[in-house]
Amino acid sequence: MAEKIVMKNGQLQVSDHPIIPFIEGDGVGHDIWKNAQAIFDKAVEVAYEGNRHIEWQELLAGKKAYDKTGEWLPKETLEAIRESLVAIKGPLETPVGGGIRSLNVALRQELDLYACVRPVRYFDGVASPLKEPEKTNITIFRENTEDIYAGIEWEAGTTDVKRVIEFLQTEMNVSKIRFPESSSIGIKPISIEGSKRLIRSAIDYALKNNLKKVTLVHKGNIQKFTEGGFRKWGYEVAQEDYKEELMDGRLEINDIIADNFLQQILLNPEKFDVVALTNLNGDYASDALAAQVGGIGISPGANINYQTGHAIFEATHGTAPDIANQDKANPCSVLLSGCMLLEYIGWSEAAQLIKSAIEETFKDDIFTADLAFGKQEYSTSAFSNQILSIM
């Protein structure tokens, strides 16, 4: 009988027949999900000889939800994920104009999914702008709920922004707003709690996966108390909670300025194992690193609260409406995100089957259009069928 995943004593409890919600996604989401689901089911069947099976539960969000319910993010969807803990989603369209600023950000903030986890690795055979892309094997831990993504800002010329600027100038003695009459103002909150829980998760991940180096990426040379605080609190976490691991050499903590980091991932990517970043820096770095190994089409991602167990695994690319329903989209981002999901619930054997089959498919020069670069282009379904046949 299918059962929901639950959290007990800090550990996920997963039956052999878990209920896992999915959001198909907008645009290319339909093409990608129907192929990905078949691959997930086959991998589970093969890995566990038919003794395990996922009961997929469709939830609505994005344009599909709006068309059916008049809401972009129905309360029922949030509650179902809250109850089921673990979910997977395709790309979502965000409404233009008023309303929700970003559906992805809304999901992260509503469920307090504070860690955006993006493992970046190279698959042999994929075209890359680097001479030695195989040296890039880095897992990103991006803080997901604070920084400028909190959305605290006021538009230039409005009554509200004038009140904020007046307060800053008269009450806080701020004299560095160069053009106060025409400035928009934004606020960047970075907290001790938010920083420490993210960095603690990055360290735990590194130790669990036998990775030694955890690097704090920041802009603390300029933003002393926000970005600088992130760096300071990261070292505090290491010294307070991981003294033994530091002493015996299982763990190394260092830090790097964000702009230098963006240079070093091109010049010396092998220097990094796990990196922890604030929200905006993590956004830039995630896409930059994805480009080094072939693009965002093969970049997986997860948004996780390691304390409650809630996690949403997602395709990291957009809805690509220009190729929607044309069987052209690359399914690898959601496939590899599904592998992260399988590993998260302890089904790593099934995840490895999928990753090996993807790698074998690339080695056979079978690519969707975004990765073909002059070679024969394969449809979403043809690419997926090749993975199925390998498994």
Side-chain angles (χ1 to χ4, degrees), residues 174-237:
V174 171
S175 59
K176 295 179 181 179
I177 303 173
R178 182 64 61 86
F179 303 108
E181 295 302 318
S182 61
S183 289
S184 293
I185 296 288
I187 298 226
K188 175 190 176 84
I190 302 280
S191 71
I192 297 173
E193 294 91 341
S195 299
K196 284 191 172 183
R197 67 179 182 174
L198 181 278
I199 294 162
R200 189 176 288 112
S201 297
I203 294 173
D204 288 342
Y205 177 93
L207 293 170
K208 181 179 178 181
N209 290 278
N210 297 313
L211 299 169
K212 182 182 286 190
K213 290 174 285 189
V214 176
T215 303
L216 309 171
V217 181
H218 61 93
K219 194 63 179 168
N221 57 327
I222 302 299
Q223 298 171 44
K224 307 289 187 184
F225 306 125
T226 51
E227 299 278 331
F230 181 83
R231 172 189 178 276
K232 172 188 171 185
W233 302 323
Y235 280 115
E236 287 179 2
V237 165

Side-chain angles (χ1 to χ4, degrees), residues 52-108:
R52 289 178 175 176
H53 175 75
I54 294 172
E55 185 72 32
W56 298 105
Q57 175 191 9
E58 183 171 12
L59 303 178
L60 295 177
K63 186 67 164 59
K64 189 173 182 179
Y66 184 77
D67 290 344
K68 290 190 175 184
T69 71
E71 295 181 273
W72 289 90
L73 184 58
K75 290 179 182 177
E76 294 80 5
T77 294
L78 273 173
E79 285 310 307
I81 298 174
R82 210 184 298 276
E83 289 179 12
S84 300
L85 291 187
V86 177
I88 187 168
K89 59 176 279 296
L92 293 178
E93 183 179 325
T94 291
V96 176
I100 294 174
R101 185 178 294 232
S102 163
L103 287 171
N104 292 326
V105 172
L107 283 165
R108 293 167 194 167

Side-chain angles (χ1 to χ4, degrees), residues 2 10 28 59 63 132 167 198 205 239 257 262 277 306-308 311 338:
V28 295
L59 303 178
K63 186 67 164 59
E132 298 175 298
F167 171 79
L198 181 278
Y205 177 93
Q239 292 297 332
I257 302 295
L262 291 173
L277 310 95
Y306 287 96
Q307 296 168 345
T308 65

Side-chain angles (χ1 to χ4, degrees), residues 292-340:
Q292 294 185 196
V293 296
I296 205 161
I298 55 171
S299 177
N303 301 287
I304 302 173
N305 183 319
Y306 287 96
Q307 296 168 345
T308 65
H310 287 98
I312 299 179
F313 299 82
E314 65 179 354
T316 58
H317 54 73
T319 58
D322 55 319
I323 59 168
N325 300 311
Q326 296 178 37
D327 200 25
K328 290 182 177 180
N330 185 346
C332 285
S333 180
V334 81
L335 281 175
L336 292 169
S337 297
C339 290
M340 294 180 71

